[in-house]
Amino acid sequence: MNEKGPVSANSEIILNIKSQMQQMNPAQTRIARYILENPDRVEGLSIGNFAKESKVSEATISRFVKFLGCANYREFQAEMVKSNILNHERIRGYAGVDNMNDVYQISQKIFDTNIQCLVDTLSILDCKAIEKIADLIVKSRQLWIFAQGRSVVTAGSLKHRLHRLGISCTIYSDSHEQAMAASLMKKGDVVMGISTYGKSRTVLKNLRIASSRHATVIGVSGYRGTPLEEICDIMLVSSSNEETSFGFEPSCATVAQMVMLDCVYILITNSMKEEANECFRLTCEAIESERE
């Protein structure tokens, strides 16, 4: 049994690498994966040895560290040392569970991965964005959400909570319904697009329509620098621990996004105060009548 418990938040450079992975070219992705899988080997490597280990050129390494915001390779190495990641157990997706047989060991890996993602998300949480989103929804008293695939699960969680407050929330997952809803939007309307990778074509296309109609566009994603971010007026970005090919699309990002939106929900509740309490009373009575 692992006695350490969940690890502390990842360093800034590690979070930066993870958040930018969807925007990297194949060579950059290969470097990023090598860093995430071999942090103990990267720290202290010369640029030549690092290039050899990750099977790219030294020039590619130099471009990569600048892509991360470091002035040069020396600064990159300083950031790696400062992160002190050698003292932390690395958690990357569900990597390794395919070689595990013990049920508790597998379960612990899955729980630890999700906990790590929540800790990392808290460390990069944009509180001002959460406050702005809550304020917009309170003023509008309605929200449209465009989502597809597993993002519909995240959307459904927020919809259920907002309905408890008497706020209208509609989820559109069908491309035609999204297009029709977007075409009818107007200034003052609030629409949220949820896309873990920030690249869902249908969601992006219809958010652009909504934006052209002067609606306020909110984005929720697990990565920075995505096409979704280019469209949105406000972005909420979670951390993502999905750098693995095994167990593709684990629940980490979905869980983190649901918790971020719970923060929005609580701010809305606090803002509505007595009205929220009355809504809770009425909805609790309604739900109680459905129980045996």
Side-chain angles (χ1 to χ4, degrees), residues 11-252:
S11 69
E12 182 177 342
I13 194 165
I14 295 299
L15 289 173
N16 190 17
I17 290 170
K18 292 165 72 175
S19 70
Q20 299 279 2
M21 283 190 72
Q22 289 299 305
Q23 314 312 313
M24 295 179 185
N25 61 39
Q28 291 173 327
T29 301
R30 187 157 58 248
I31 298 168
R33 289 190 184 280
Y34 186 85
I35 294 170
L36 295 172
E37 293 171 4
N38 305 278
D40 54 332
R41 291 180 61 82
V42 172
E43 187 176 330
L45 273 181
S46 68
I47 188 170
N49 287 334
F50 186 21
K52 184 178 179 180
E53 291 278 348
S54 53
K55 300 179 181 179
V56 297
S57 67
E58 290 186 22
T60 301
I61 296 291
S62 294
R63 288 192 294 269
F64 178 80
V65 299
K66 289 179 180 178
F67 173 80
L68 295 179
C70 298
N72 49 45
Y73 187 71
R74 184 186 297 274
E75 184 177 313
F76 166 76
Q77 278 291 333
E79 288 297 317
M80 291 295 291
V81 173
K82 187 166 60 177
S83 72
N84 197 27
I85 57 178
L86 287 174
N87 295 327
H88 298 300
E89 176 187 354
R90 305 304 304 148
I91 297 178
R92 299 180 299 276
Y94 296 158
V97 295
D98 51 331
N99 296 317
M100 298 177 183
N101 295 315
D102 182 77
V103 175
Y104 182 81
Q105 189 181 21
I106 292 171
S107 301
Q108 184 181 38
K109 175 67 175 180
I110 292 169
F111 271 82
D112 282 351
T113 302
N114 280 276
I115 291 168
Q116 179 69 61
C117 190
L118 285 171
V119 172
D120 289 344
T121 298
L122 178 61
S123 72
I124 61 172
L125 193 65
D126 189 338
C127 295
K128 289 184 178 179
I130 288 177
E131 190 172 16
K132 287 179 182 178
I133 293 168
D135 186 57
L136 283 168
I137 295 173
V138 168
K139 289 178 179 177
S140 177
R141 293 302 174 106
Q142 58 184 352
L143 176 69
W144 287 270
I145 304 178
F146 294 171
Q148 292 183 307
R150 62 171 168 161
S151 294
V152 175
V153 176
T154 307
S157 174
L158 180 60
K159 173 184 176 180
H160 177 79
R161 284 156 173 72
L162 293 182
H163 278 185
R164 293 294 299 268
L165 295 172
I167 293 175
S168 174
C169 180
T170 306
I171 300 171
Y172 295 101
S173 58
D174 178 83
S175 59
H176 289 186
E177 290 183 341
Q178 286 184 18
M180 288 187 291
S183 68
L184 296 173
M185 288 185 181
K186 59 188 182 299
K187 187 174 181 179
D189 289 339
V190 182
V191 59
M192 177 181 289
I194 305 177
S195 174
T196 296
Y197 295 101
K199 295 181 177 182
S200 298
R201 185 173 299 169
T202 295
V203 172
L204 294 173
K205 181 185 72 173
N206 292 307
L207 287 178
R208 290 187 181 102
I209 295 172
S211 180
S212 71
R213 298 285 299 169
H214 306 293
T216 300
V217 181
I218 299 165
V220 179
S221 180
Y223 295 91
R224 297 186 186 280
T226 63
L228 177 64
E229 190 169 8
E230 294 175 4
I231 300 169
C232 295
D233 300 297
I234 309 172
M235 276 295 298
L236 282 181
V237 181
S238 67
S239 178
S240 179
N241 284 347
E242 304 194 352
E243 304 80 31
T244 178
S245 59
F246 182 83
F248 186 65
E249 293 196 345
S251 59
C252 312

